[in-house]
Amino acid sequence: MIPLSTRMRPQTLDDFFGQKHFMSEGSLLYNSIKNKTFESAIFFGPSGTGKTTLARIIVNELGAQFYELNASVSGTKELKEILELARVKSQGLEKATVYLYVDEFHRWNKLQQDSLLQAIEEGIVRFIGSTTENPYFSINNAILSRVRAIYEFKRLENEDLISILDNALKDEDRGLGKLKIEANHDVLYMIADRSNGDARIALDTLGFIAENMKGSVLTMELAGEAMQRQTSFYDKSEDKYNLLSALQKSLRGSDPDAGLHYLARLIEADADVLTIGRRLMVIASEDVGMAYPNAISIVTSCVQASQMIGFPEARIILAEAVVLLASCPKSNSVICGIDSAISDIRNKKIDDVPDHLKDTHYSGAKKLGRGLTYKYPHLYPDAWVKQQYLPNNLVGTKYYEPNERGQEGAFKNYLDNLGKKK
């Protein structure tokens, strides 16, 4: 049986999901494919994000000759054979454009990678390489300098995965449409969320369920069994937001016991580390803020460590972050300040940047009066000198209003006393 992920592999640009930061209608990459001016590239990112799929779509759209290798099972011998065939096709009577796609390109050593250099330079092949590792560390500079661009593929968003799953359920030719399987949004969301941005995992999980389920309704229990996870966190979409809200309000209220209670409920409901961690990092900035600025660094480290270790041990590290946040002094001065500043930008006509603050790193800046009266603070006692920084019509506006709780009291005292020393 061919896996569902293979059967549902997109064939055209219109069917391709994700990577909207570089692939959308009207983008440079999209236009280069449609205009048949695409040359070469490195695709870099996690598995299941569409690297191989996009390479095949590109060559299909261009109508070019295409050869494909996987560096994990192929070596220099196979590469030389393909380059000889490509030389005949590109430089012979056909004058064909030939593309070579090498998956897992980082697995080749320096000598193997360098075997491609001459073929790329002479135009025998146009090269597309894919890698799950950072190309700036895993691919030779000589190769990088000869490709047109490096495109970073990101994990697919849940909504993209849900659309992919929904298409598979409806497609009667390549997908599961003939089975008439019913699945509501919450079930698809659960599969998507647990697939960690990997379309291959999401589709093959759906395919596994479809092949082995009885009846035509895909339930939360079946999805949980297939992914070997509890499903209570996804039974009612509002429940998780209630638990996360209760966690934040408990920590904002400096109640470590309630914080641990809601953390435990989230863990037992099978909330993932990232869902919990994101909220904890928000709390560190929104509710603790400048009262204990180190909170964001500590909490971020806790979240990263939890992701590395995984459950059940991750519960200890997340609990440490919860107790820390509950026990910290609190200040919301940062969120109030930035929201007030954004409100002014959106609702007021703001004057230009003062001339003395404008960039001076170009010829002609002095003639325009840029930066002439700027005072460099480090030349003055306490690295401070009085001068205007805000635009003219905002002079005197206060966005940051520090309180005296925790470490913020020291920052408030410092700001209050600037310029008072003699």
Side-chain angles (χ1 to χ4, degrees):
M1 176 70 73
I2 299 174
L4 182 60
S5 60
T6 301
R7 304 202 310 266
M8 289 301 300
R9 191 184 291 272
Q11 306 296 315
T12 68
L13 286 177
D14 293 334
D15 296 331
F16 186 79
F17 283 91
Q19 316 313 326
K20 295 181 179 65
H21 54 292
F22 64 72
M23 173 53 72
S24 59
E25 188 171 352
S27 67
L28 289 175
L29 177 56
Y30 182 94
N31 290 342
S32 73
I33 298 167
K34 289 297 185 181
N35 297 334
K36 301 187 185 302
T37 58
F38 178 86
E39 295 179 359
S40 58
I42 297 291
F43 293 165
F44 153 52
S47 300
T49 52
K51 300 187 296 295
T52 301
T53 295
L54 184 57
R56 292 175 180 174
I57 289 174
I58 288 172
V59 177
N60 185 55
E61 291 272 350
L62 298 176
Q65 296 283 335
F66 183 53
Y67 294 101
E68 183 174 341
L69 288 174
N70 189 307
S72 63
V73 294
S74 303
T76 307
K77 178 177 179 293
E78 292 84 356
L79 175 62
K80 288 182 177 179
E81 291 173 354
I82 287 177
L83 293 181
E84 283 303 314
L85 292 172
R87 186 184 298 275
V88 172
K89 290 182 179 293
S90 64
Q91 298 182 348
L93 294 176
E94 291 184 56
K95 300 297 181 185
T97 301
V98 180
Y99 280 86
L100 171 63
Y101 173 65
V102 182
D103 194 13
E104 300 290 331
F105 187 60
H106 63 275
R107 292 183 181 274
W108 277 355
N109 60 35
K110 184 179 187 301
L111 288 176
Q112 289 173 310
Q113 292 184 19
D114 285 348
S115 300
L116 263 174
L117 287 175
Q118 185 176 355
I120 296 173
E121 287 180 346
E122 295 179 358
I124 294 170
V125 294
R126 295 183 181 181
F127 173 64
I128 305 175
S130 74
T131 174
T132 55
E133 297 188 5
N134 189 326
Y136 292 102
F137 297 113
S138 61
I139 296 178
N140 296 351
N141 288 333
I143 294 290
L144 294 180
S145 69
R146 288 163 175 79
V147 299
R148 175 64 187 81
I150 295 174
Y151 295 100
E152 182 176 1
F153 284 61
K154 298 180 180 179
R155 297 187 186 279
L156 274 65
E157 298 291 335
N158 284 344
E159 290 307 314
D160 286 330
L161 289 175
I162 290 170
S163 296
I164 291 170
L165 294 171
D166 192 53
N167 286 345
L169 288 171
K170 293 176 180 177
D171 191 309
E172 295 189 359
D173 296 324
R174 297 182 296 148
L176 307 170
K178 293 180 180 179
L179 300 179
K180 307 297 181 185
I181 294 174
E182 298 177 21
N184 63 35
H185 182 274
D186 287 347
V187 175
L188 297 184
Y189 180 88
M190 189 268 190
I191 296 174
D193 196 50
R194 287 302 182 195
S195 298
N196 197 27
D198 189 320
R200 186 181 294 110
I201 291 176
L203 283 168
D204 289 342
T205 298
L206 181 63
F208 172 74
I209 296 170
E211 290 170 7
N212 297 284
M213 65 187 288
K214 293 180 179 179
S216 60
V217 179
L218 200 168
T219 64
M220 194 72 73
E221 288 72 26
L222 286 172
E225 182 184 348
M227 306 199 87
Q228 301 180 53
R229 299 292 185 93
Q230 298 178 37
T231 59
S232 55
F233 193 58
Y234 298 89
D235 283 343
K236 295 179 182 179
S237 59
E238 70 272 13
D239 282 357
K240 62 180 176 182
Y241 297 114
N242 287 340
L243 290 174
L244 291 168
S245 176
L247 174 65
Q248 180 164 6
K249 289 170 182 172
S250 297
L251 300 186
R252 181 185 294 154
S254 298
D255 190 328
D257 301 306
L260 289 172
H261 168 79
Y262 289 114
L263 173 64
R265 284 177 65 169
L266 284 162
I267 293 171
E268 287 302 297
D270 206 31
D272 61 283
V273 168
L274 195 54
T275 298
I276 299 170
R278 283 172 177 163
R279 185 58 65 102
L280 294 178
M281 287 188 282
V282 168
I283 296 167
S285 299
E286 179 180 342
D287 296 306
V288 174
M290 295 297 293
Y292 185 53
N294 287 342
I296 184 62
S297 298
I298 297 171
V299 170
T300 299
S301 297
C302 287
V303 174
Q304 291 172 341
S306 298
Q307 287 181 292
M308 292 173 64
I309 294 173
F311 287 119
E313 287 81 2
R315 77 191 189 284
I316 308 167
I317 306 172
L318 292 173
E320 181 179 344
V322 163
V323 171
L324 172 76
L325 291 172
S327 306
C328 283
K330 307 296 188 295
S331 172
N332 70 343
S333 59
V334 171
I335 186 175
C336 290
I338 186 60
D339 284 353
S340 180
I342 289 172
S343 177
D344 277 356
I345 299 300
R346 291 175 177 174
N347 300 303
K348 294 181 179 179
K349 186 179 183 302
I350 306 296
D351 288 346
D352 196 10
V353 174
D355 284 343
H356 63 282
L357 299 184
K358 290 181 179 177
D359 181 38
T360 60
H361 294 87
Y362 59 94
S363 60
K366 288 186 177 180
K367 291 181 180 179
L368 295 173
R370 307 293 193 250
L372 296 181
T373 60
Y374 174 66
K375 299 174 183 176
Y376 187 55
H378 292 287
L379 297 177
Y380 296 84
D382 298 323
W384 182 87
V385 60
K386 186 175 182 179
Q387 64 183 323
Q388 178 182 333
Y389 291 103
L390 281 168
N392 291 335
N393 65 333
L394 291 180
V395 171
T397 302
K398 283 284 188 181
Y399 292 123
Y400 177 52
E401 297 285 357
N403 62 49
E404 298 194 7
R405 292 190 290 273
Q407 294 181 13
E408 192 163 26
F411 300 125
K412 181 179 186 300
N413 183 62
Y414 170 77
L415 293 172
D416 288 344
N417 286 287
L418 281 176
K420 291 182 179 181
K421 292 182 181 180
K422 295 186 179 180

